[in-house]
Amino acid sequence: MSLDYVHRSGRPPGFKPFHLVVAGVLMVVWFGTLGFVLMHGHHQQSSVDVYTELPPGFTTALQHHGVRFVGLSPVDGATVQQVLSHATAGSALSGGAAGPIVLRTSFSDRTKGASFTDRPALMVVVPSAQPSASATGSGGSSPVFVAFVDPTTYRTLATVTYDASGVSG
């Protein structure tokens, strides 16, 4: 009989029993890592709570201006720098403004002629560092500047400025 028709029995050439042990160990490590990743953090809250960074009454104030947002998530430092260098926050980023907050979100805005529905954007929030005294001295205003920026072109899509001292909740 020719060799083409004969099927070899036994292990393949060059195979050693040690290879079977190594394959078994790799399989146990692979499934152990997979199980740990899938079960880690199960029924636990995210370690990043971006909602606590926002000024008080933030959501209510934006809804009052006709803007709604969903799904806030943090962005990396390079994205923050890129957005802040392109955002048209103007005077809101200068002087007494507190550190700006940049978050990834999706927003809807049906005001000022533009209509955005579930538009992905980067939200830049610039709260005032200190309330400024009013002309009558009977209180202070705490302006908050919010800009929604396109995540690819960094073009400003919508802006809102409101007084945080007059908003509750």
Side-chain angles (χ1 to χ4, degrees), residues 19-36:
H19 294 139
L20 199 58
V21 172
V22 169
V25 169
L26 287 175
M27 189 174 1
V28 167
V29 169
W30 174 258
F31 283 111
T33 304
L34 182 64
F36 175 78

Side-chain angles (χ1 to χ4, degrees), residues 33-97:
T33 304
L34 182 64
F36 175 78
V37 168
L38 291 176
M39 297 304 291
H40 185 68
H42 187 64
H43 295 298
Q44 294 178 4
Q45 291 184 351
S46 172
S47 62
V48 178
D49 185 11
V50 294
Y51 291 94
T52 59
E53 296 178 21
L54 298 174
F58 181 77
T59 304
T60 305
L62 287 185
Q63 287 176 351
H64 178 70
H65 287 281
V67 178
R68 292 185 178 4
F69 63 91
V70 294
L72 294 181
S73 61
V75 296
D76 62 0
T79 303
V80 170
Q81 292 303 319
Q82 193 75 3
V83 168
L84 294 179
S85 68
H86 287 89
T88 58
S91 62
L93 291 175
S94 64

Side-chain angles (χ1 to χ4, degrees), residues 7 17 33 70 74 89 92 136 140 161 168:
H7 296 288
T33 304
V70 294
T136 61
T161 303
S168 62

Side-chain angles (χ1 to χ4, degrees), residues 101-159:
I101 303 165
V102 179
L103 302 168
R104 190 172 310 278
T105 190
S106 177
F107 83 107
S108 298
D109 179 13
R110 299 195 182 274
T111 60
K112 300 176 184 143
S115 178
F116 297 108
T117 303
D118 294 329
R119 171 76 187 235
L122 297 169
M123 180 171 61
V124 180
V125 181
V126 185
S128 176
Q130 313 152 342
S132 58
S134 66
T136 61
S138 62
S141 66
S142 183
V144 176
F145 175 81
V146 182
F148 291 93
V149 179
D150 184 90
T152 55
T153 63
Y154 300 110
R155 183 178 57 89
T156 302
L157 302 171
T159 61

